Amino acid sequence: MSIQITSACLIRNNHIQLNGETMIEKEKHLPFNEFIKGAYELNASPNLKFFKMDNLCKLAFITSEFLLKNKKISEQYGAENVSLLFANTSSSLDTDINYYNTVKDFASPSLFVYTLPNIMLGEISIRNKFKGENAFFVFEQFQADFLCNYATQLIKEKKAKVVIIGWVELLKENYESFLCLTEENGNGAELTNENLNELYNGK
Amino acid sequence: MDALIAKLKTQIIEQLNLEGVSPEDISPDDSLFGEGLGLDSIDALELIVLLEKNYGLKIENPAEGKKIFYTIRSIAEYITANGKA
């Protein structure tokens, strides 16, 4: 069995790359909120919920919009066969802090619903009608081997035909997002630790 | 009443992060949920917070909330009736 990385999107330093090609590049000092709003307005299909999402979800959502643009994954493989496997290091701490600050006055219900990192998986699944297994993990740093092994196992055990794997990290103005589409017998680099690390490092 | 309605529109747009919506886009008699402005259950909770934070009004009966949050005008009428305008 051979599993390939058929597409990869990397966002960091206000620079969006899809399969190594620059999609958007803005000044490095531009605040995250302005950068991500600009990326949404230029590229994402209208979604009323976008502006209600927290920053972590916005980042994951925009990365997935680039990764999956013009692709009909759900229709092609079946909604139940698309899995999401994400990780980061700060969990939902960015929103947890914002929510904690509102608790002293009036607790914000709209912030509270984002005080879990796996909400981003839900937002992407709703948007793309994915119904497969999804999981979220917290690691100190990007772990290609874990994501690679887990995705391979899901496909080998026929729990999924496609796995979107990645790293979506955000705390204040520090962020990076890296999502890969992995498919069995697809066109692209083989899903290996080395290839995943190389794409993550933006080489 | 008109001044209160105008103020509520601005407060609701801000509190609910209704990006791209301006006060002129909202009619005071538009339904806030469902077909109208399309608000959801989390928005309903934010409206409860808005009333308590800005007008000192607590809504404790959920059935009452459905009537109060029907339109911007019904919210304004509730605030006026409770002497908090």
Side-chain angles (χ1 to χ4, degrees), chain B residues 60-78:
Chain B
E60 282 159 5
N61 178 0
E64 199 185 20
K66 205 170 175 181
K67 274 200 280 183
I68 296 165
F69 296 128
Y70 185 56
T71 64
I72 299 261
R73 191 181 301 282
S74 62
I75 299 175
E77 284 169 353
Y78 178 76

Side-chain angles (χ1 to χ4, degrees), chain B residues 9-63:
Chain B
K9 284 182 186 181
T10 308
Q11 287 173 331
I12 287 172
I13 288 169
E14 194 186 319
Q15 182 91 17
L16 305 187
N17 283 326
L18 300 178
E19 187 85 16
V21 177
S22 65
E24 299 75 43
D25 297 332
I26 313 171
S27 159
D29 299 307
D30 278 348
S31 167
L32 292 176
F33 296 87
E35 290 297 307
L37 207 53
L39 304 186
D40 60 23
S41 55
I42 301 299
D43 295 322
L45 294 173
E46 286 289 351
L47 289 177
I48 291 170
V49 170
L50 186 152
L51 277 196
E52 189 173 348
K53 189 163 72 176
N54 295 293
Y55 300 96
L57 291 170
K58 273 192 182 182
I59 295 168
E60 282 159 5
N61 178 0

Side-chain angles (χ1 to χ4, degrees), chain A:
Chain A
M1 173 184 286
S2 169
I3 300 166
Q4 276 74 33
I5 303 166
T6 56
S7 192
C9 184
L10 177 67
I11 308 183
R12 63 163 73 101
N13 298 325
N14 292 352
H15 185 193
I16 302 179
Q17 287 176 282
L18 180 65
N19 300 320
E21 272 185 53
T22 293
M23 298 286 111
I24 294 178
E25 190 166 16
K26 299 285 183 187
E27 306 77 29
K28 287 191 172 54
H29 60 79
L30 192 71
F32 173 80
N33 265 329
E34 288 178 39
F35 166 71
I36 209 72
K37 185 182 172 187
Y40 167 79
E41 286 170 348
L42 279 174
N43 291 278
S45 307
N47 181 339
L48 283 175
K49 279 201 79 185
F50 180 78
F51 291 106
K52 298 186 177 193
M53 293 178 192
D54 71 343
N55 283 344
L56 185 66
C57 278
K58 282 179 180 168
L59 178 60
F61 182 83
I62 289 298
T63 318
S64 71
E65 286 289 284
F66 276 95
L67 186 78
L68 303 170
K69 198 165 191 172
N70 301 324
K71 290 186 168 64
K72 298 192 182 304
I73 303 295
S74 236
E75 288 89 335
Q76 191 181 345
Y77 290 100
E80 285 79 11
N81 293 314
V82 185
S83 284
L84 301 174
L85 185 58
F86 287 16
N88 78 5
T89 193
S90 300
S91 185
S92 57
L93 187 60
D94 191 67
T95 294
D96 296 349
I97 292 167
N98 291 338
Y99 175 69
Y100 179 75
N101 288 336
T102 72
V103 170
K104 296 167 192 164
D105 181 17
F106 288 91
S108 164
S110 56
L111 281 177
F112 175 72
V113 295
Y114 287 104
T115 55
L116 282 173
N118 53 334
I119 301 301
M120 65 174 123
L121 303 173
E123 296 285 14
I124 294 170
S125 296
I126 291 167
R127 171 86 170 114
N128 296 283
K129 302 183 175 66
F130 297 153
K131 294 180 181 170
E133 176 173 326
N134 67 58
F136 187 89
F137 299 89
V138 176
F139 296 127
E140 277 188 26
Q141 57 192 13
F142 178 68
Q143 286 197 16
D145 57 342
F146 179 88
L147 295 170
C148 188
N149 291 340
Y150 200 126
T152 302
Q153 200 65 19
L154 281 173
I155 292 176
K156 266 188 183 171
E157 290 181 1
K158 302 201 181 304
K159 297 269 173 62
K161 290 180 178 170
V162 179
V163 185
I164 299 170
I165 57 177
W167 177 260
V168 185
E169 164 64 16
L170 181 139
L171 187 58
K172 307 289 180 194
E173 288 295 318
N174 298 315
Y175 74 88
E176 62 176 7
S177 181
F178 170 61
L179 293 185
C180 287
L181 188 61
T182 64
E183 304 169 67
E184 191 182 347
N185 302 322
N187 290 320
E190 196 179 342
L191 177 61
T192 62
N193 298 350
E194 293 73 26
N195 287 337
L196 211 49
N197 272 321
E198 195 168 296
L199 289 166
Y200 170 72
N201 289 322
K203 286 176 185 165

